[in-house]
Amino acid sequence: MKLQLRQTLFTAALIGLAPTLAHADTNLIPQPASMQIKQGAPFVLKNNTAFVATGEAAAEAQFLASQMRAATGFKLSVKNSGKSAITLQLNANLKDKLGEEGYTLESNQNGVTITAATRAGLFYGGQSLRALLPPQIMRAAPVVGDRMNWTVPAVSIEDQPRFGWRGYMLDDSRHFFGVDYVKSLLDNMAARKLNILHWHLTDDEGWRIEIKALPKLTEVGAWRGTDVTLPNVRGEKHARYGGFYTQAQIREIVAYAAARHIDVMPEIDLPGHELALLASYPEAGPTVKGDGVSATGFHDNAISPVRPESLAIVDKIYDEVAALFPFEYIHIGGDEVNYGFWKNDPQIKEFMEQEKLKNLHEVQVAFTKRLEGVVARKGKKLFGWNEILDDKLSKGTGIMSWTGTGPGYNAARRGFPVVMSPGQYSYLDMGYGGNGEPESHSWAGNVTLERMYSFDPLGDGGNLTPAEKARIMGVQAHGWSEFIRAGKTGLMEFKTDQEALDYKLWPRLLATSEVAWTPQDKRTFQDFSRRLDADEYQRLADANVFFRVPPPNAVTLKAGVVTIDGPFAGADVRTTFDGTTPTLASPRYEKPFALNGRDAGALRARTFLNGRGSSLQVGARVEPIGTWKNGELKSAAQEFTYDATGNLASGGIWRASFRRTGGDKALRLDKATVLVNGVPVATATAGDITNKGDRAVARFDVPNVPAGAKVSVMATLAAPDGENVAGQVTLLKSERLEPDVTVASTYPAYQNNTIEAAGDWDDDTLFWIADFPKPGVLATWNFASPVSATSISLSSGERNGTKDQLLGGDLEISEDGTNFRKVAGFTYGSAAADLPANTKVKAIRVVATQTQSTWVMLRDPVLR
Ligand code: TNX
């Protein structure tokens, strides 16, 4: 709820566009555990407002005052006593009630009082106070020229976090972000009550932390490009790219974080992901090279887990790291080690014999155990990715669950502390979903804002006992940065790497903050979306965050009328009807309008905010053209006719979907026909219909539809097992090419997931290879005639996870059906490429480039 003040003031926004309204804000993110909005006038912050605090509370008051001086330009002195002020008080007796990080906040026109048992509690109360002030409070410099009314609404808050671990991981290796960015990130994390920065400082693409005993790590390992040892990655053209943090800078950042109650956990990823280390100190590698590639596409990127030179290097690194970071945990990574790199090494074989180890996983466990000892001697503990999980490890070692929630529940059951960060719900390097979004990973599917928000780290609980659940310390989001870079990508353009990263983080990190902080029964996505309004985006802009401009939520078409649901009230949405991307000059959407014979498929809608455009909504989702009630379908098939005028208004591939919405019996579609002015123009029979019991889909190839034509869909439907089935009929135009195709593979299929399923243009079915692929062709798609395409992509593996992906492979196309060329390699299970204009595609094939010991799922190629 927004409290509009009696005298609202217009103020010019930072961005210099629309004037903003100064008002008190009661939309907090994260939502407090409990908040009452009281009757009564707000408190108004003035130049002479005093902060009152004593003892340790005074230090927090000083910090909060300095944060609030920045935007207000006010004096805001801190005193021992006084009235009509902002009072911070510590009361250790409140620990039972408020916990380690909780607080209460009372505000009325006479002042604000924040009470807590700890300094952290006072800090979070202070951040809530800032969140109650107008968005401009986030600015780093005084709001000049604006006559701001710095009001705090009258509220009563009692709040504490759901989880003690509220993390974000910065991947500073794949791209280097620098001290200023890390500080601003810490500011923004703290404002949202996140308290752990997991700092991924090393990986194949760059070493980012000065280690004084090993100077080559940063002289050599921190740089990649054509003029240095480490090569460019992913098509980059740098002569020399990179950077690193000196130890002085690390200390500065750790102190900056501590002032904001954030702990910094460094990650030195071992033994895999270490090309940068190996480029600097090759003697850390196995004595004999191995085979294969890592999941990220690199050869021989694991250090030797046994070689004395390697272990000496590791110990020197951990010595200095332990001294630099006061936090109790050091993260050792441990993910994605391809044991192929170790299998030829005689030293490792000898070690296995000596220690009676059965396999190379046990070697990794032994390596991890040794490091547990190294850090224990420094009074610290390890954290690692879920691959390190093994009962031989100390129960003090933390497990970060990333490949799903299962490994986290498993670890909690076995006695380990756990942080939940499954790719499917917390990977910020996945796409937001939508058209024109920046390049991203896709192995965990799209991580939409809603998906991220929907995560409950204790959700299905994996049947954990309360004691096991208590081991789940919290939740973390991850900003892997392989695809983060300045430049054009999708419809976006980023001036800097930092902007590109921010785009992926915000607003999704707001969802993480609420998942981590707010009690589960006090949050819904609907309410979160309501609070994520124009003001909240203004708050992000004022905090100097390059957030993602949200596209319209939905565009719907019903009986020829288009309705656009904007991302928030008052959003500036622009549309086109010729398939081009809307600009600020395109017509602005004001209210529902008639399609008037235009093609709904060519409609494009886009939000603009602060001069920036969002990604696109393409076409309109057609509202049901018909419904049927329980009892209307009979065991004998009958014919029904649905009016589709204004909805099916253009030629192309269309699908009519008949879906059960009530009852529990099956429905069956035998035949469906599209009629234009009463004349059948396309008919779907057996081969074009899929019947799944609770739904049936008919596919039509519809020729051009004349403007103003009357269109209907006639369907023959039955309820073979009983009449208790209600449902609805919707129409959807295909956004991709669906040519006639012959598919072939010499590999066996698992059950009915045959090769044909990868060429039926139905994304619910796939080809599941029931064998371990060997280098060579896995499958071929041959089109009846060549198609013109501008892009191609093909995914392998289950839709929302890593299971049965193709690990090493190429996607090839042929213009003549005989000669193939590679257009993309598979990483994390997917291959995608833009094709030059006028590319004709006659055939496609997927070629494995490596032997792998899992089966593979292949999906239908997507050609546009
Ligand atoms: C897996 S998460 C990785 C990272 C990649 C990321 C891409 C983890 C422990 N390893 O190296 O950057 O996926 O999504």
Side-chain angles (χ1 to χ4, degrees), residues 381-554:
K381 295 181 279 189
L382 289 185
F383 233 96
W385 301 111
N386 57 234
E387 285 97 321
I388 71 163
L389 178 59
D390 193 286
D391 288 327
K392 292 209 190 73
L393 296 183
S394 145
K395 292 294 185 290
T397 293
I399 302 295
M400 208 164 251
S401 190
W402 72 277
T403 52
T405 49
Y409 295 141
N410 184 11
R413 216 172 283 127
R414 286 152 76 170
F416 296 92
V418 171
V419 167
M420 284 296 196
S421 60
Q424 297 77 359
Y425 294 101
S426 45
Y427 270 33
L428 298 161
D429 56 331
M430 301 299 139
Y432 277 95
N435 299 284
E437 288 289 336
E439 194 181 4
S440 32
H441 270 304
S442 59
W443 64 261
N446 285 321
V447 178
T448 61
L449 186 62
E450 181 163 9
R451 187 172 179 89
M452 195 120 186
Y453 192 86
S454 74
F455 185 49
D456 175 2
L458 304 177
D460 62 24
N463 286 323
L464 298 186
T465 64
E468 290 164 349
K469 272 195 182 174
R471 295 197 188 108
I472 297 180
M473 301 157 78
V475 54
Q476 187 166 296
H478 295 233
W480 298 108
S481 65
E482 291 100 309
F483 290 122
I484 300 301
R485 71 180 80 156
K488 280 199 168 139
T489 163
L491 282 177
M492 307 304 148
E493 177 149 24
F494 304 116
K495 288 195 292 298
T496 58
D497 294 350
Q498 288 78 359
E499 281 188 0
L501 181 60
D502 263 9
Y503 183 99
K504 295 281 191 174
L505 262 53
W506 306 99
R508 282 188 292 196
L509 221 41
L510 299 181
T512 303
S513 101
E514 199 149 311
V515 169
W517 183 277
T518 308
Q520 182 66 12
D521 61 357
K522 290 280 167 57
R523 61 183 192 94
T524 63
F525 183 67
Q526 198 190 1
D527 184 61
F528 173 77
S529 310
R530 181 189 61 76
R531 282 176 282 126
L532 185 50
D533 59 3
D535 262 1
E536 202 59 50
Y537 280 103
Q538 179 67 43
R539 192 171 289 276
L540 289 172
D542 281 331
N544 205 17
V545 163
F546 199 87
F547 56 85
R548 170 193 190 239
V549 175
N553 289 334

Side-chain angles (χ1 to χ4, degrees), residues 355-398:
E355 303 292 320
K356 306 208 172 16
L357 302 180
K358 289 192 292 293
N359 55 43
L360 290 162
H361 169 69
E362 293 189 358
V363 176
Q364 187 181 351
V365 173
F367 171 82
T368 309
K369 266 207 85 61
R370 187 189 153 277
L371 262 182
E372 279 182 341
V374 170
V375 304
R377 287 191 283 283
K378 303 174 199 303
K380 293 189 186 281
K381 295 181 279 189
L382 289 185
F383 233 96
W385 301 111
N386 57 234
E387 285 97 321
I388 71 163
L389 178 59
D390 193 286
D391 288 327
K392 292 209 190 73
L393 296 183
S394 145
K395 292 294 185 290
T397 293

